[in-house]
Amino acid sequence: MVFVPSRPLKALKKLRAFFVYKLFYTNHYVYIIYSISNDVYYKGYSTDYIMRLEQHNQGKTTYTKNKGPWKLVYAEELYSKKEVFIKEKMLKRQHRQYLLWLFKQKTNLIK
């Protein structure tokens, strides 16, 4: 049996309002974590970078599973998902020298 709301238009408007809120009023973060044991950086994005770091350290992600422990070294707040994807893609192409320079910039939330 399929659930059909008694007021489908009203339900649709509420659902649309929720997604618009999530899209435009949720902060998005690009983050970089560092594996002390493997001397490697991992770049990613999240709406909650602290929780995401915990997931990496608990082995809940495929790439970072056996490379921990991880330390958060960079986080930058961006205001749209599009900006975050562009920034993450750019960071994944950068060399270590650039990353070391980036960690010292004002945009880094981790000091």
Side-chain angles (χ1 to χ4, degrees):
M1 183 170 169
V2 176
F3 172 73
V4 178
S6 59
R7 296 179 177 244
L9 188 58
K10 189 173 184 179
L12 182 62
K13 284 181 180 179
K14 282 186 177 182
L15 187 62
R16 184 184 314 142
F18 172 76
F19 284 113
V20 166
Y21 175 81
K22 282 297 217 180
L23 183 63
F24 292 107
Y25 298 106
T26 301
N27 293 338
H28 302 277
Y29 300 92
V30 154
Y31 65 91
I32 301 174
I33 54 178
Y34 176 69
S35 170
I36 300 161
S37 60
N38 289 309
D39 191 35
V40 67
Y41 290 99
Y42 176 84
K43 299 101 178 172
Y45 86 93
S46 179
T47 56
D48 184 351
Y49 60 89
I50 302 296
M51 180 193 68
R52 192 71 175 124
L53 174 64
E54 291 172 7
Q55 290 174 342
H56 286 294
N57 280 322
Q58 292 169 1
K60 292 183 178 179
T61 59
T62 307
Y63 177 79
T64 61
K65 190 174 190 170
N66 297 317
K67 295 179 175 75
W70 294 93
K71 177 184 174 187
L72 185 63
V73 292
Y74 182 80
E76 180 180 349
E77 182 179 20
L78 298 164
Y79 297 100
S80 75
K81 239 182 186 176
K82 185 177 180 178
E83 284 181 303
V84 168
F85 287 133
I86 292 169
K87 183 79 173 197
E88 180 190 18
K89 190 173 182 179
M90 183 274 294
L91 286 174
K92 288 186 176 191
R93 293 187 307 244
Q94 299 304 319
H95 297 284
R96 185 175 288 244
Q97 262 328 95
Y98 176 81
L99 296 177
L100 295 174
W101 171 83
L102 185 65
F103 300 156
K104 299 173 188 170
Q105 301 308 304
K106 290 180 182 179
T107 56
N108 189 359
L109 299 174
I110 312 303
K111 300 281 176 164

